[in-house]
Amino acid sequence: MQRTEAELAQVLHTGPFHLALRTAFSVRGLPLQRVQHHLAHRGVKVGVTSLSYWQQGARRPQRAESLRAVGALEEVLELPRNSLLRLLGDGDSPTASERPATRSHRSVREASGAVERLLDALESPADGGLHTVGHQERVRIGAGRELRRRDSQQVVRAHRDGIDRYLAVYRGDPGCDPARVEVVARENCRTGRVRRDRRSGVLVAELLFDTRLQVGQTYLFGYGFDDGTGGPCGEYVRGFGSGGGQYVLQVRFDEAALPVRCRRFAQTTAGAPRGDRTDLALTGRHRTVHLVEQGVRPGLVGIDWDWE
């Protein structure tokens, strides 16, 4: 739907950033490839993938070169100076980092930048072409309190013809060596290219479907990451750039490393206070806790725990 100048002026005042950017694209009638072309003429290199994720709220420009690109976008889109940059200072959208455990804002920014670079290196489609219908994750914590394994089973629906892959993002805990993290294609997929960033502990894996989906088709596949290289883990967090679908998370603890308390929590952004905190009971011999989110909303949700 074509937006109006009045709507653009309003959202530039109120935010959030991704909605303001998406509205500006609509009002100016510029496709992302054309925007990228205008930016290149100004000496600014940014991928169509990044532009798409910025306008969806799935990722947030944070690196110095990304912020420079936002300043150039204000020129290309004929917007008041600093109108978009100002919204980035408000902490209005979730980071795309899958696992922003308790880390400094600097490390979160570094991980987001690493994800952006790795996705661009894998030539990620502008929007991935897939919506998640349901996602179930199982996380195993080892005897040394480390994240030992993360398994995922996911159901997606194509909203563009010809989609035959999914890019999965993994971020290890501090101390993680992504070169030693193993990607395992468990069901209805196989591992393609894998890209790693050692400094941030980020890994992006290409999972190939061996079939090309048409619009409306669903696909179920399973995959995992075997880790165990990081330090003690105190939480597992999942970030959602958009809403919809069901999300189930289960955390299983080794019998030699049982926490004294577990809680479910939610956040609107990585830097926001944690709300909706609920104590979770650790089941007896199974040593697990879980949460179920119906119709997830943009933001972050997860489970944290206290060690003795």
Side-chain angles (χ1 to χ4, degrees):
M1 182 177 66
Q2 185 73 26
R3 301 293 184 178
T4 67
E5 288 284 355
E7 289 175 308
L8 176 58
Q10 176 66 24
V11 77
L12 284 174
H13 176 69
T14 62
F17 168 81
H18 69 278
L19 181 57
L21 183 61
R22 186 164 68 241
T23 303
F25 286 154
S26 175
V27 170
R28 301 299 181 239
L30 290 174
L32 297 184
Q33 290 81 0
R34 190 63 181 167
V35 172
Q36 183 190 40
H37 178 74
H38 284 303
L39 291 173
H41 271 287
R42 289 168 168 79
V44 177
K45 184 178 180 181
V46 60
V48 170
T49 299
S50 296
L51 292 172
S52 177
Y53 282 158
W54 291 353
Q55 72 164 347
Q56 294 175 46
R59 292 214 295 272
R60 184 180 178 86
Q62 295 176 317
R63 294 181 294 142
E65 52 265 48
S66 297
L67 296 177
R68 179 171 172 244
V70 173
L73 275 171
E74 293 172 349
E75 296 180 15
V76 171
L77 298 171
E78 300 178 355
L79 302 176
R81 186 177 180 181
N82 293 326
S83 56
L84 291 175
L85 287 169
R86 177 186 63 82
L87 295 175
L88 286 173
D90 295 340
D92 55 271
S93 78
T95 177
S97 172
E98 282 201 301
R99 298 196 51 238
T102 305
R103 302 173 171 98
S104 68
H105 289 298
R106 179 180 178 182
S107 70
V108 172
R109 287 196 301 270
E110 287 178 352
S112 297
V115 171
E116 186 176 317
R117 291 192 300 273
L118 296 178
L119 287 173
D120 283 342
L122 290 173
E123 302 171 341
S124 173
D127 60 3
L130 298 169
H131 291 312
T132 296
V133 178
H135 190 178
Q136 183 177 81
E137 288 192 296
R138 292 183 173 90
V139 174
R140 293 186 62 179
I141 306 299
R145 301 181 177 180
E146 80 284 6
L147 193 151
R148 175 63 55 181
R149 175 181 294 175
R150 189 193 93 185
D151 288 316
S152 291
Q153 187 174 67
Q154 203 159 344
V155 180
V156 295
R157 177 179 287 112
H159 60 86
R160 189 156 50 83
D161 287 338
I163 302 300
D164 62 356
R165 66 174 182 161
Y166 176 82
L167 295 182
V169 179
Y170 179 83
R171 183 186 181 191
D173 289 303
C176 166
D177 180 0
R180 295 164 55 199
V181 175
E182 181 182 1
V183 183
V184 184
R186 303 193 187 281
E187 186 177 14
N188 299 329
C189 65
R190 57 188 173 89
T191 304
R193 296 170 293 173
V194 179
R195 297 292 182 267
R196 297 172 168 89
D197 184 90
R198 181 163 188 169
R199 180 177 179 179
S200 62
V202 167
L203 179 154
V204 176
E206 182 181 53
L207 300 168
L208 305 174
F209 295 161
D210 290 332
T211 187
R212 291 186 178 275
L213 303 179
Q214 302 303 306
V215 172
Q217 278 189 294
T218 57
Y219 196 78
L220 183 150
F221 61 105
Y223 58 96
F225 298 93
D226 290 344
D227 189 353
T229 67
C233 179
E235 64 181 22
Y236 186 84
V237 187
R238 165 66 66 173
F240 299 94
S242 59
Q246 181 191 69
Y247 176 63
V248 180
L249 168 63
Q250 176 183 277
V251 180
R252 180 186 297 274
F253 298 91
D254 188 279
E255 62 181 353
L258 297 178
V260 296
R261 185 183 185 189
C262 300
R263 293 166 299 264
R264 178 262 186 206
F265 67 87
Q267 291 173 269
T268 55
T269 69
R274 293 187 170 179
D276 298 330
R277 299 185 71 90
T278 306
D279 285 335
L280 301 175
L282 190 67
T283 59
R285 62 189 180 90
H286 299 295
R287 307 181 303 278
T288 65
V289 291
H290 78 279
L291 60 79
V292 179
E293 300 291 323
Q294 300 281 2
V296 294
R297 294 174 295 179
L300 299 101
V301 65
I303 296 174
D304 64 14
W305 51 89
D306 298 327
W307 297 111
E308 188 174 13

